[in-house]
């Protein structure tokens, strides 16, 4: 997409900046507050420009290197144990959230007894179009740091392995095309009268899992939520409304908006059944984006250096063959945004005093670092901001070792924290502000300050927005 957007600041007004140079084309406001899955990105040309600027900024002549420590030399209270990854056990679990709503999660156990300390569980939340498989690499790293830590990964309903148990809108003549068999009838089945695949639904799914399923089956309820992209948005939405369930938050390149703007799409709210006028358009779109070529192109775009295991393509495609997948996609496209904006969620999280860890892939062309810097400014002292490089939109999958290291340190710090006490840099016990993990580097940015022209532009719009809001107040 050649004219993507930098961010969508919509508080009754919009700021737009067009055609900054022939190499930087930024659309500051997203016309739909886009349900086109947060296409908050810059063009490939712009990405190349950003990386060139970063390389110049970080060269020895232009940048004083921070204290560096080897990850393998950092002393930890949890001794790293020699555990063969072949011994790891990813166990699939299914539970019925509501009648007809079967949900899936993965729980990592290594054949050891459950820990007896009051540590909160770590719950990993995937982005759009992926699932629990996306966290296997980082879970393998986590178990080497703390074999007994409770770690879970969820599949959102309508994605991965979480699906309706029967046709939510039966057709008289069901389609024979894979993915289109369910959900295209003229009337929703009784169990699915209120079914809309929306962010509010996924937030309710997560709330149920923490509030009911985990205490009953695993003895813990309060959790550290770590969400990538869409998963980060859902984690923020729940934390803003149910802080009693959230011990801490980790944003892994969290998308800052979701949901179709009703001013542009007023006719349908995404609930079943799907209008016939929508079906043909959505079918064409769905068939085009689930091809190997399209998935490969998207991964090449958002992954730094195009470095990923090709098996991820097969894992992404597998759920698209579920009978209800096309109908779910149609609903997601047109679903309403949540009641709270991402900015409002962050303000509530800050006021609630919930500790937050921001871990952003520095080379993400989609949710660019300017978003992480903005979140840091909004959250203030209640959060710590890190960037991983080389890493794009999915740092947990691209660079699992440094991300697992941060997650482990964050959860450990929360366990030791006195209730109500602010989490700070010293609590993490890391030492230097820059750590090397093989070819990947992890850098702590205390203030989240902008570094190049692109980020300073974003910061300027942020300052103008805050000024206008203060004047209106």
């Amino acid at each position: 997409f050649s004219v993507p957007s930098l961010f969508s600041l919509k508080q009754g007004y919009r700021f737009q900046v067009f055609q900054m140079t022939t190499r930087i084309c930024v659309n500051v406001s997203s016309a739909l507050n886009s349900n086109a899955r947060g296409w908050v990105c810059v063009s490939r040309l712009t990405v190349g420009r950003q990386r060139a600027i970063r390389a110049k900024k970080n060269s020895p002549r232009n940048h004083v290197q921070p204290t560096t420590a080897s990850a393998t030399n950092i002393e930890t209270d949890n001794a790293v144990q020699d555990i063969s990854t072949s011994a790891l056990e990813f166990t699939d679990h299914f539970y019925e959230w509501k009648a007809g709503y079967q949900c899936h999660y993965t729980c990592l156990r290594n054949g050891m007894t459950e820990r007896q300390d009051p540590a909160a569980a770590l719950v990993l939340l995937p982005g759009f179009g992926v699932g629990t498989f996306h966290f296997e690499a980082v879970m393998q790293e986590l178990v080497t740091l703390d074999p007994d830590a409770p770690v879970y990964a969820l599949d959102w309903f309508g994605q991965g392995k979480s699906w309706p148990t029967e046709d939510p809108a039966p057709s008289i003549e069901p389609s024979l095309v894979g993915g289109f068999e369910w959900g295209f009838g003229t009337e929703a089945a009784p169990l699915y009268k209120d079914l809309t695949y929306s962010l509010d639904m996924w937030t309710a799914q997560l709330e149920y899992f923490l509030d009911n399923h985990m205490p009953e089956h695993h003895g813990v309820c309060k959790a550290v939520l770590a969400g990538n992209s869409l998963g980060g948005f859902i984690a923020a939405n729940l934390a803003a409304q149910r802080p009693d369930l959230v011990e801490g938050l980790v944003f892994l390149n969290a998308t800052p908006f979701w949901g179709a703007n009703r001013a542009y799409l007023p006719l349908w709210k995404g609930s079943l059944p799907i209008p016939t006028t929508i079906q043909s358009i959505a079918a064409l779109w769905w068939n085009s984006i689930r091809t190997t070529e399209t998935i490969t192109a998207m991964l090449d775009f958002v992954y730094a250096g195009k470095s990923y295991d090709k098996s991820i393509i097969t894992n992404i495609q597998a759920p698209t063959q579920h009978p209800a997948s096309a109908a779910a996609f149609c609903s997601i496209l047109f679903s309403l945004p949540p009641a709270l904006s991402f900015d409002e969620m962050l303000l509530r999280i800050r006021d609630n005093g919930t500790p937050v860890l921001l871990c952003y892939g520095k080379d993400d062309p989609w949710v660019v670092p300017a978003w992480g810097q903005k979140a840091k400014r909004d959250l203030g002292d209640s959060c710590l901001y890190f960037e991983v490089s080389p890493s794009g939109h999915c740092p947990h999958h691209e660079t699992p070792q440094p991300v697992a290291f941060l997650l482990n340190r964050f959860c450990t710090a929360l366990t030791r924290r006195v209730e109500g006490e602010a989490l700070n840099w010293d609590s993490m016990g890391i030492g230097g502000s820059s750590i090397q993990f093989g070819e990947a580097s992890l850098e702590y940015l205390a203030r989240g300050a902008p570094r190049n022209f692109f980020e300073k532009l974003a910061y300027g719009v942020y300052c103008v927005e805050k000024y206008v809001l203060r004047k209106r107040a």
Side-chain angles (χ1 to χ4, degrees):
F1 298 89
S2 57
V3 187
S5 57
L6 167 60
F7 46 69
S8 193
L9 300 175
K10 180 171 174 288
Q11 303 287 352
Y13 63 91
R14 291 182 176 87
F15 296 101
Q16 293 188 332
V17 178
F18 297 100
Q19 224 49 53
M20 294 306 297
T21 67
T22 56
R23 290 181 178 271
I24 302 179
C25 181
V26 179
N27 173 10
V28 175
S29 175
S30 169
L32 296 179
N33 199 17
S34 174
N35 208 33
R37 304 291 63 86
W39 287 333
V40 203
C41 49
V42 293
S43 66
R44 291 181 184 271
L45 190 58
T46 304
V47 176
R49 175 64 175 164
Q50 288 183 75
R51 288 175 179 166
I53 292 173
R54 288 189 188 122
K56 182 178 179 181
K57 289 273 188 178
N58 293 326
S59 69
R61 291 183 297 176
N62 294 289
H63 180 62
V64 177
Q65 293 294 334
T67 304
T68 306
S70 169
T72 56
N73 293 332
I74 293 176
E75 294 182 2
T76 63
D77 292 320
N78 296 321
V80 176
Q81 299 192 23
D82 183 16
I83 299 174
S84 172
T85 55
S86 62
L88 301 182
E89 182 183 356
F90 293 96
T91 55
D92 287 324
H93 298 269
F94 295 88
Y95 66 97
E96 193 172 56
W97 170 27
K98 295 185 284 190
Y101 290 62
Q102 186 181 68
C103 295
H104 168 262
Y105 70 94
T106 294
C107 175
L108 178 61
R109 291 295 177 198
N110 196 53
M112 300 185 181
T113 57
E114 294 189 13
R115 66 193 307 152
Q116 299 302 313
D117 62 38
L122 175 62
V123 180
L124 304 170
L125 308 173
F128 176 72
V130 291
T132 57
F133 64 86
H134 213 213
F135 289 108
E136 289 184 0
V138 77
M139 291 172 83
Q140 288 173 347
E141 295 290 342
L142 282 166
V143 80
T144 64
L145 297 171
D146 189 350
D148 298 330
V151 182
Y152 306 90
L154 306 188
D155 276 338
W156 301 122
F157 191 69
Q159 299 180 55
K161 298 178 182 178
S162 295
W163 295 97
T165 55
E166 59 185 77
D167 192 339
S171 303
I172 297 175
E173 297 181 0
S175 170
L176 299 178
V177 179
F180 288 85
E181 297 95 329
W182 289 4
F184 287 92
T186 57
E187 185 175 351
L191 291 178
Y192 307 101
K193 288 290 186 183
D194 301 321
L195 174 58
T196 303
Y197 294 93
S198 66
L199 192 132
D200 283 333
M201 182 199 71
W202 293 320
T203 303
Q205 176 192 347
L206 176 59
E207 181 180 15
Y208 175 87
F209 181 79
L210 298 178
D211 214 4
N212 297 279
H213 189 74
M214 284 187 66
E216 180 180 351
H217 295 275
H218 305 284
V220 291
C221 60
K222 212 166 186 182
V224 176
L225 304 180
N228 170 237
S229 193
L230 167 64
F233 198 119
I234 297 171
N237 195 33
L238 180 67
Q241 301 175 67
R242 289 293 308 273
D244 57 303
L245 294 177
V246 182
E247 185 76 21
L249 283 171
V250 181
F251 293 156
L252 303 167
N253 294 68
T255 183
F257 48 75
W258 190 267
N261 191 316
R262 283 281 76 82
Y264 297 92
L265 301 168
L267 301 179
W268 183 47
K269 298 180 180 180
S271 57
L272 297 181
I274 301 167
T276 54
T277 54
I278 301 293
Q279 292 181 17
S280 57
I281 299 173
L284 289 172
W285 196 351
W286 182 230
N287 278 330
S288 67
I289 69 168
R290 62 176 178 166
T291 65
T292 299
E293 294 75 19
T294 302
I295 294 172
T296 300
M298 286 299 298
L299 292 174
D300 287 347
F301 180 49
V302 300
Y303 273 62
K306 304 179 183 180
S307 56
Y308 55 88
D309 188 335
K310 302 305 179 183
S311 65
I312 189 178
I313 298 173
T314 304
N315 288 330
I316 290 173
Q317 285 181 316
T320 70
Q321 294 300 316
H322 188 278
S325 62
F329 176 74
C330 294
S331 177
I332 291 169
L333 277 181
F334 290 88
S335 64
L336 288 168
L340 297 175
S341 69
F342 191 67
D343 288 349
E344 291 170 329
M345 294 175 196
L346 294 184
L347 293 178
R348 286 198 184 187
I349 291 167
R350 183 193 66 188
D351 293 342
N352 292 335
T354 305
V356 182
L357 173 68
L358 305 175
C359 179
Y360 279 62
K362 188 175 182 179
D363 308 296
D364 187 357
W366 201 330
V367 181
V368 293
W371 279 111
Q373 295 164 11
K374 181 181 182 301
K376 167 60 182 173
R377 291 190 291 268
D378 285 339
L379 291 166
D381 295 335
S382 67
C383 87
L384 300 170
Y385 179 48
F386 293 82
E387 286 184 354
V388 189
S389 181
S391 191
H393 188 59
C394 308
H396 59 288
H397 191 253
E398 299 175 65
T399 50
Q401 189 180 11
V403 172
F405 174 79
L406 272 186
L407 290 173
N408 172 264
R409 287 305 181 94
F410 185 62
C411 292
T412 301
L414 291 177
T415 302
R416 297 171 178 171
R417 184 179 71 107
V418 177
E419 188 171 353
E421 180 183 66
L423 193 68
N424 55 42
W425 168 250
D426 294 332
S427 306
M428 299 285 284
I430 294 177
S433 58
S434 180
I435 306 172
Q436 201 70 27
F437 294 83
E439 296 182 356
S441 63
L442 181 66
E443 185 177 2
Y444 171 62
L445 302 172
R447 295 186 300 115
R451 293 155 298 191
N452 55 46
F453 172 79
F454 182 78
E455 294 174 0
K456 288 176 181 177
L457 172 64
Y459 179 65
V461 176
Y462 171 86
C463 292
V464 173
E465 178 202 30
K466 294 300 179 184
Y467 174 79
V468 172
L469 291 178
R470 283 198 300 270
K471 283 293 185 181
R472 289 189 174 185

